[in-house]
Amino acid sequence: MILFVDLLNTIIQSFIVSYFPYYLSFNNENDRISKKHFVISIIGIFFTSMLATNIFSNGNITTAVIATMNIVIICLVYRHIYKKALLAYFIGYFLVQITAILVTSIIWPTISNVVSDAEASMLLGIYIPAIILELLIIKNKDNIKTIYQYFIKSERSFTIFFIIVILMDFIANISMLLNGWANVVLTNVVIIMFVAFIIGISIYRNSIGKKYEEIDRLNKLLIDKNNELKKIKHDYGSQISYINGLYIMQQYDRLGEMLKKIISGNAEVSSSVEYITNRDSIICSVVESLDLKDIHVVVDEEFDSNLIDISEYELHKIVSNILSNAATALDGNGLIVIKTYKIFNNIYLSIKNNGPQIDPSIIDKIFNTGFTTKSNKDESHGYGLHIVKEIVENNNGKIYVTSNEEYTEFKVIFSNKKVKEVFEA
């Protein structure tokens, strides 16, 4: 009776570990080729199990040989999809092993305490519960397929299940060694297998380390390329901003030149200052002393600012304060055009930028003492434009501000005797 039930159990176990690679790996269950693979694998696994059982008297050696030969058979039969098939085999083998552990560790000891007959206790405590659990595994094949489909998405699942299956066999072998149920040959085989297992894990970890290094190298390369693209984007953004500013400021001649340079591929717009006329003026020295980042500045002095009847120090304060406010409004990127020109006996200083519009509700307050839109906890802001207005008015001048969606312009008008004398002479 025991021999028959043992044979039946072997057939069911062989069916599970053979059926899962066929059922889980192939989408079309009626495919003739896949069924042929299933038949070949179940015959090979069953006869390997029977042959190993008859050749080796020791149970642990038998288990190790069967597990190894099963893996070889699955790889050969399903060589075109061996990883998928092996993962399915590992899942089936894992469930069979769990069944064996449950019946031998829990059910059999309990039955043995109740049934004194050894054969009957093995039948009731091992074989019948094992067969019932194994049939339940086959019945729930669709649920197991769902689990398989989840694991097949991860590249690490194959390795994880392989390690689990090997460890389960190791645990069984070491358990017998500790309980003195093994001979010297088995001990040596287990030690050799354990060493080989450790070497295999080390090689695997080393290969994983190399892959991580390669991934890290590619990530760094990707970051560099991304930064390069950002720089290109920034350069084009600067060009567009510059062109837009030239259009707004009605610098059509320079706009045409810029477009020609872009078409010919020679345009290099960067943080720069362009001097249309005099480069040695006070205004130019102010511009060069400020950190304007990526702001493009055009200085066009039709009238020499050095001839304005105002001290160099005061003119420096006027220009630097207005430019600092313009730079803040532009936030490091945009266009500022500074012009000086004469209409009759009046000298005009225009500082125009293409930044955001000043809120109409506050534009009349910007020259007031202490007024600022910045954080002013230490009360250090809000005096620059007030000082500018004060200096301008003390030098018989006037200052105006105009702001709309296209540009903001500070215009200073000077009218004095020195200017008249210079041009009359």
Side-chain angles (χ1 to χ4, degrees):
M1 183 67 178
I2 289 291
L3 291 175
F4 172 76
V5 176
D6 183 65
L7 178 63
L8 179 62
N9 186 53
T10 302
I11 293 172
I12 295 173
Q13 289 178 348
S14 300
F15 177 84
I16 291 173
V17 296
S18 303
Y19 183 68
F20 276 20
Y22 153 71
Y23 181 72
L24 303 183
S25 302
F26 287 92
N27 294 322
N28 184 5
E29 293 183 44
N30 296 318
D31 186 78
R32 276 186 171 184
I33 299 174
S34 61
K35 285 184 177 180
K36 180 182 177 182
H37 291 151
F38 167 58
V39 172
I40 293 171
S41 61
I42 192 172
I43 292 172
I45 287 172
F46 174 74
F47 280 105
T48 298
S49 300
M50 296 301 296
L51 190 63
T53 303
N54 291 322
I55 292 174
F56 303 103
S57 58
N58 187 282
N60 281 330
I61 294 178
T62 303
T63 302
V65 170
I66 290 173
T68 303
M69 291 306 299
N70 286 354
I71 292 173
V72 172
I73 291 169
I74 295 297
C75 286
L76 291 174
V77 173
Y78 298 96
R79 55 187 175 276
H80 57 299
I81 53 165
Y82 74 95
K83 278 195 174 181
K84 289 183 177 181
L86 277 179
L87 178 60
Y89 166 79
F90 289 149
I91 291 173
Y93 186 82
F94 172 76
L95 294 173
V96 169
Q97 288 285 68
I98 289 295
T99 300
I101 291 170
L102 285 174
V103 296
T104 56
S105 302
I106 299 173
I107 301 174
W108 186 34
T110 304
I111 296 296
S112 297
N113 292 329
V114 178
V115 179
S116 57
D117 184 78
E119 187 173 323
S121 67
M122 288 182 67
L123 187 64
L124 297 173
I126 296 178
Y127 289 108
I128 292 177
I131 290 170
I132 292 171
L133 291 173
E134 287 159 2
L135 291 174
L136 286 174
I137 290 171
I138 297 170
K139 184 180 179 182
N140 288 278
K141 63 183 184 298
D142 291 331
N143 295 329
I144 296 169
K145 187 169 187 176
T146 302
I147 296 170
Y148 168 82
Q149 289 171 343
Y150 170 79
F151 281 114
I152 199 66
K153 295 176 184 177
S154 173
E155 292 182 1
R156 296 184 180 181
S157 297
F158 175 84
T159 306
I160 291 169
F161 271 96
F162 176 75
I163 292 171
I164 289 173
V165 167
I166 297 299
L167 283 176
M168 289 179 75
D169 287 336
F170 270 127
I171 290 168
N173 290 335
I174 291 169
S175 175
M176 293 192 69
L177 285 173
L178 293 174
N179 290 282
W181 297 342
N183 55 31
V184 176
V185 175
L186 176 60
T187 303
N188 292 334
V189 169
V190 171
I191 291 172
I192 292 169
M193 289 179 68
F194 182 75
V195 171
F197 177 74
I198 295 299
I199 293 171
I201 291 295
S202 300
I203 294 170
Y204 174 74
R205 287 194 62 181
N206 184 54
S207 65
I208 288 294
K210 289 181 179 178
K211 287 181 181 178
Y212 280 136
E213 287 176 5
E214 180 65 13
I215 290 169
D216 186 57
R217 187 186 68 81
L218 292 173
N219 280 337
K220 288 179 180 177
L221 184 63
L222 185 61
I223 290 169
D224 291 340
K225 291 294 181 184
N226 190 40
N227 290 335
E228 191 176 318
L229 288 172
K230 285 181 180 178
K231 184 178 181 300
I232 293 170
K233 178 186 175 184
H234 177 270
D235 289 342
Y236 278 115
S238 297
Q239 288 181 355
I240 292 168
S241 174
Y242 188 48
I243 290 168
N244 182 57
L246 291 173
Y247 171 76
I248 291 170
M249 303 302 183
Q250 299 181 356
Q251 300 283 322
Y252 299 122
D253 292 339
R254 298 205 66 255
L255 178 59
E257 292 174 10
M258 187 65 200
L259 289 172
K260 287 178 182 177
K261 288 180 181 179
I262 290 174
I263 292 169
S264 63
N266 296 322
E268 293 185 2
V269 180
S270 60
S271 176
S272 61
V273 180
E274 182 163 349
Y275 304 98
I276 304 297
T277 52
N278 182 18
R279 187 168 182 168
D280 298 322
S281 68
I282 297 169
I283 291 174
C284 293
S285 67
V286 175
V287 172
E288 292 178 354
S289 69
L290 297 175
D291 179 16
L292 297 175
K293 298 181 180 178
D294 289 331
I295 296 172
H296 309 292
V297 182
V298 177
V299 181
D300 183 5
E301 293 191 56
E302 293 179 10
F303 180 85
D304 189 350
S305 59
N306 294 331
L307 298 177
I308 299 174
D309 190 14
I310 186 173
S311 71
E312 183 177 324
Y313 172 72
E314 288 179 316
L315 183 58
H316 189 287
K317 290 193 75 172
I318 291 170
V319 176
S320 63
N321 274 294
I322 295 174
L323 283 179
S324 294
N325 277 275
T328 301
L330 292 171
D331 195 23
N333 193 2
L335 177 68
I336 297 174
V337 176
I338 305 170
K339 292 185 71 173
T340 60
Y341 53 93
K342 173 180 173 291
I343 299 178
F344 299 113
N345 291 321
N346 293 328
I347 303 303
Y348 290 77
L349 167 62
S350 169
I351 301 177
K352 188 185 291 188
N353 71 77
N354 64 339
Q357 180 182 4
I358 299 174
D359 191 336
S361 64
I362 66 169
I363 196 167
D364 293 331
K365 303 176 184 177
I366 62 174
F367 294 110
N368 294 348
T369 306
F371 180 81
T372 182
T373 56
K374 303 173 186 176
S375 176
N376 198 26
K377 292 181 181 179
D378 57 357
E379 299 183 355
S380 61
H381 300 293
Y383 298 96
L385 291 178
H386 173 73
I387 292 169
V388 168
K389 184 179 181 183
E390 195 173 67
I391 294 172
V392 170
E393 291 177 347
N394 288 341
N395 286 274
N396 301 316
K398 294 180 181 179
I399 184 168
Y400 303 94
V401 60
T402 304
S403 187
N404 53 47
E405 292 181 356
E406 293 184 343
Y407 64 86
T408 295
E409 180 182 22
F410 285 84
K411 187 178 288 184
V412 181
I413 305 172
F414 292 105
S415 176
N416 52 45
K417 294 179 181 179
K418 184 177 180 180
V419 173
K420 292 179 183 179
E421 290 170 359
V422 169
F423 281 88
E424 284 173 359

